[in-house]
């Protein structure tokens, strides 16, 4: 009996000490691994780069096209017009919707280094939603953007090779959206 009373006294002492620490501002709840994982996932969801959350195949292809055009620096007026015409013709968008898609893609892309360096992480949320025709169309659109540039930068070739490897498609076929 004296062992049980000693153990209960120990438990009460620990509880009182934890309460006193909590009153002093020291919270030991941060040691909970489940709460830590939940906080970490929440922080990653809202503090991460939003370009890696794109799950629409059309938006992902538009960002890749813009990344290929910006691979040697800033976007030129000719490249912008070429991309807008591709948006209108291949995506079947109006000129207003094409301009909106270009603006949103440019905002998400930024300087383009994150997408060019991590193509796998960028395509991961949207890869499953691509149909076979969209995969081949994405590669062919990316190829059209690269070929329209007067001097093809090596970064653009690397981007095209990485996208081909991720989508497992040849650039010869044309698809529809």
């Amino acid at each position: 009996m004296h062992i049980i009373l000693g153990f209960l006294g120990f438990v009460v002492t620990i509880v009182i000490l934890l309460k006193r620490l909590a009153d002093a501002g020291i919270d030991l709840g941060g040691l909970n691994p489940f709460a830590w994982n939940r906080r970490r996932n929440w922080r990653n969801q809202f503090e991460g780069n939003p370009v890696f959350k794109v799950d629409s195949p059309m938006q992902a292809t538009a960002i890749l096209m813009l990344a290929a055009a910006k691979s040697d620096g800033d976007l030129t007026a000719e490249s912008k017009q070429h991309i807008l015409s591709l948006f209108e013709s291949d995506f079947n968008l109006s000129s207003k919707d094409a301009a909106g898609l270009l603006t949103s893609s440019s905002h998400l892309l930024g300087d383009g280094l994150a997408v060019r360096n991590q193509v796998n992480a960028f395509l991961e949320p949207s890869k499953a939603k691509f149909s076979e025709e969209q995969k081949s169309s994405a590669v062919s659109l990316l190829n059209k953007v690269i070929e329209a540039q007067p001097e093809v930068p090596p970064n653009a070739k690397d981007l095209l090779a990485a996208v081909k490897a991720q989508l497992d498609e040849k650039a010869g076929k044309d698809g529809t959206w």
Side-chain angles (χ1 to χ4, degrees), residues 32-66:
N32 183 353
F34 300 111
W36 175 82
N37 190 28
R38 188 173 52 247
R39 281 193 309 269
R40 182 177 158 271
N41 289 338
W42 183 263
R43 185 173 45 251
N44 287 341
Q45 182 178 0
F46 288 101
E47 292 179 0
N49 193 344
V51 78
F52 293 109
K53 303 272 190 245
V54 173
D55 61 350
S56 165
M58 185 183 292
Q59 182 76 35
T61 303
I63 290 172
L64 286 172
M65 291 168 63
L66 199 58

Side-chain angles (χ1 to χ4, degrees), residues 30-135:
L31 299 176
N32 183 353
F34 300 111
W36 175 82
N37 190 28
R38 188 173 52 247
R39 281 193 309 269
R40 182 177 158 271
N41 289 338
W42 183 263
R43 185 173 45 251
N44 287 341
Q45 182 178 0
F46 288 101
E47 292 179 0
N49 193 344
V51 78
F52 293 109
K53 303 272 190 245
V54 173
D55 61 350
S56 165
M58 185 183 292
Q59 182 76 35
T61 303
I63 290 172
L64 286 172
M65 291 168 63
L66 199 58
K70 283 181 142 184
S71 61
D72 62 344
D74 287 334
L75 186 65
T76 62
E78 295 83 20
S79 296
K80 180 180 176 181
Q81 287 302 332
H82 181 67
I83 290 174
L84 283 173
S85 67
L86 288 174
F87 285 173
E88 291 173 11
S89 64
D90 290 350
F91 291 158
N92 298 321
L93 297 175
S94 66
S95 60
K96 183 179 178 182
D97 291 338
L101 181 61
L102 181 71
T103 303
S104 66
S105 299
S106 179
H107 176 71
L108 285 173
L109 181 65
D111 63 356
L113 284 176
V115 171
R116 284 194 304 268
N117 292 338
Q118 300 173 353
V119 175
N120 184 21
F122 169 69
L123 285 175
E124 192 63 36
S126 63
K127 194 187 317 184
K129 294 182 181 179
F130 274 93
S131 67
E132 293 302 318
E133 293 84 15
Q134 288 174 339
K135 288 179 182 180

Side-chain angles (χ1 to χ4, degrees), residues 145-160:
V145 169
I146 291 171
E147 289 174 353
Q149 295 179 359
E151 186 176 313
V152 180
N155 292 341
K157 291 179 183 178
D158 294 342
L159 178 67
L160 180 62

